[in-house]
Amino acid sequence: MKYNRTYNFSAGPATMPEPVLEEIRDEMMNYRGSGMCVMEMSHRSPVFQQIVDEAERDLRELMHIPDNYRVLFIQGGATLQFAMIPVNLMKNGVACYVETGAWSKKAIAEAKKYGDVHVVASSRDRNFCCIPDCSNLDIPENADYVYICENETIHGVTWNRLPDTRGHVLVSDQSSMFLSRPCNVSDYGLIYAGVQKNVGPAGMVVAIIREDLIREDLDPRTPIYMSYKTHADNGSMYNTPNCWAIYCCGKVFRYLRSIGGLEEMERRNIEKARVMYDFLDSSEMFTGTVDRECRSLMNIPFVTGNRDLDAKVVAAARAAGFDNLKGHKSVGGLRASVYNAMPREGVEALVEFLKKFEAENG
């Protein structure tokens, strides 16, 4: 059966691969002969344990995750990690953050509740249109970690070269670029990603943490759920996990492996982002807001320079079958999020629409 699906350019929850959705549809009423939907089954059942084990195995193979890293499926979304990271990793009470946009700003504000936070670099003075120079950061010796948001969903900037942390632990929020390109996990102490952008439904984070960073000696007032050790010791099932999200993410992990892994995914992402950026670079009406060398492959913000015209674009786009092009409320303008599951033809169709709009409204 064919469905009349819109091209969804939402920043999250976002579009998912159609083959994955079709497989989920086919298993909805009776998962592999269990007689029930995954949403109905016990998280303590052997059937669901197999789902969790397969999801972790496929993710490990997809990212080549070393054996000394744990994979955790944690509820609460990326926002919970803003607090969970300093609670677990601030052993000396000192951390360094790089400020590159809205989400790193939120993480900084939360971390300040738990210790001494050094903002060692910022692109605030450039309105977050770039990644600041991080080749010679002033990192205190007793800093517990250096934190980055590797792809800023709202401002559309991405890191193409990791900062020199001077031997300190690197923590990365990869929420809006997770699994979009190969990643050397060993470069990081902790990677986390809210799954609702590139992997699955909202309500869960995948955290990949080096084992030596999982501590027992936390403040005794720390909520049990806020300890990485709790999740590591209980196989991500200390309480009832987000069973549905784990199941859907596992489907996506396997799908990505089937198409050639992260190398192939990166190739596709580069191609379709180029379609959009080539248009923006040639347009007289639309302008990209990010420096070329820092442009995200996932989130592409752009403007006309006129708020009323921006709003007209959004309305016309929705009527034409292109949804969620409105920029974030904090920055305005327009934004096309072209995550893994957005097909190239969707980006090409959007560009043709924008060309037509420019010709008719220029």
Side-chain angles (χ1 to χ4, degrees):
M1 180 185 297
K2 286 294 183 181
Y3 295 90
N4 184 22
R5 287 172 57 77
T6 187
Y7 286 122
N8 177 16
F9 292 92
S10 171
T15 190
M16 290 180 63
E18 288 194 7
V20 169
L21 293 177
E22 290 168 350
E23 189 172 340
I24 290 170
R25 175 201 63 198
D26 293 343
E27 295 177 346
M28 180 67 74
M29 299 301 292
N30 185 359
Y31 174 76
R32 296 186 184 180
S34 66
M36 64 184 78
C37 175
V38 173
M39 282 189 280
E40 302 171 297
M41 65 179 55
S42 168
H43 63 294
R44 303 295 183 192
S45 67
V47 179
F48 186 72
Q49 186 62 57
Q50 183 180 19
I51 290 172
V52 175
D53 291 344
E54 288 180 358
E56 178 173 343
R57 182 199 66 206
D58 287 335
L59 180 61
R60 284 187 173 278
E61 293 188 14
L62 192 61
M63 295 184 71
H64 309 293
I65 298 173
D67 291 341
N68 64 325
Y69 284 75
R70 300 296 297 271
V71 174
L72 309 176
F73 302 115
I74 304 174
Q75 296 179 63
T79 299
L80 178 63
Q81 296 303 305
F82 297 162
M84 202 163 169
I85 287 165
V87 163
N88 283 267
L89 301 189
M90 268 192 178
K91 193 169 185 177
N92 298 322
V94 180
C96 296
Y97 281 67
V98 180
E99 184 185 39
T100 51
W103 295 111
S104 51
K105 283 172 63 178
K106 288 180 180 290
I108 289 167
E110 192 76 0
K112 285 181 176 179
K113 299 176 183 178
Y114 301 98
D116 183 14
V117 172
H118 296 246
V119 179
V120 291
S122 175
S123 54
R124 181 190 290 266
D125 62 331
R126 295 283 315 282
N127 198 30
F128 301 121
C129 70
C130 63
I131 299 295
D133 180 9
C134 293
S135 60
N136 188 28
L137 298 176
D138 184 14
I139 302 173
E141 282 298 316
N142 64 340
D144 294 302
Y145 60 88
V146 177
Y147 178 104
I148 65 172
C149 178
E150 202 160 340
N151 189 91
E152 289 277 3
T153 317
I154 293 174
H155 289 89
V157 295
T158 200
W159 292 71
N160 291 310
R161 177 183 298 175
L162 296 178
D164 181 357
T165 65
R166 301 180 180 273
H168 293 80
V169 171
L170 178 62
V171 175
S172 176
D173 174 0
Q174 288 193 359
S175 294
S176 54
M177 46 83 71
F178 190 53
L179 304 185
S180 66
R181 64 190 189 194
C183 171
N184 184 12
V185 175
S186 296
D187 289 338
Y188 307 81
L190 170 63
I191 295 167
Y192 75 91
V195 302
Q196 75 277 10
K197 300 176 184 298
N198 238 358
V199 191
M204 191 180 77
V205 152
V206 174
I208 303 168
I209 182 170
R210 209 171 63 211
E211 288 181 340
D212 63 291
L213 297 176
I214 300 174
R215 295 170 50 202
E216 296 186 28
D217 59 334
L218 300 183
D219 186 319
R221 297 171 296 178
T222 301
I224 294 171
Y225 196 84
M226 292 277 284
S227 168
Y228 288 123
K229 191 174 190 308
T230 297
H231 301 280
D233 287 351
N234 291 277
S236 298
M237 284 195 275
Y238 171 74
N239 66 332
T240 306
N242 190 330
C243 300
W244 184 250
I246 294 172
Y247 162 72
C248 294
C249 289
K251 293 289 188 189
V252 173
F253 300 155
R254 178 166 292 192
Y255 166 77
L256 290 173
R257 289 185 60 200
S258 75
I259 66 169
L262 301 188
E263 291 78 11
E264 172 61 17
M265 196 68 255
E266 180 182 39
R267 184 192 68 78
R268 296 185 186 187
N269 286 331
I270 289 172
E271 282 190 356
K272 68 189 180 191
R274 183 180 294 123
V275 171
M276 189 68 186
Y277 284 123
D278 284 351
F279 163 69
L280 292 176
D281 290 340
S282 64
S283 172
E284 295 184 2
M285 175 179 286
F286 300 100
T287 306
T289 60
V290 177
D291 289 2
R292 286 175 184 257
E293 64 274 15
C294 304
R295 287 172 166 175
S296 170
L297 296 180
M298 300 284 99
N299 310 105
I300 305 176
F302 56 106
V303 295
T304 65
N306 181 294
R307 289 186 179 182
D308 292 337
L309 190 56
D310 287 347
K312 186 176 180 180
V313 174
V314 171
R318 185 180 297 114
F322 305 99
D323 210 2
N324 293 302
L325 278 177
K326 185 178 181 180
H328 192 269
K329 60 184 179 181
S330 65
V331 296
L334 304 152
R335 174 180 54 178
S337 292
V338 290
Y339 296 123
N340 284 357
M342 173 59 65
R344 175 170 176 161
E345 53 264 32
V347 181
E348 291 173 339
L350 174 62
V351 166
E352 288 306 308
F353 163 80
L354 293 173
K355 286 180 178 178
K356 183 173 183 290
F357 183 93
E358 181 172 355
E360 295 174 352
N361 295 271

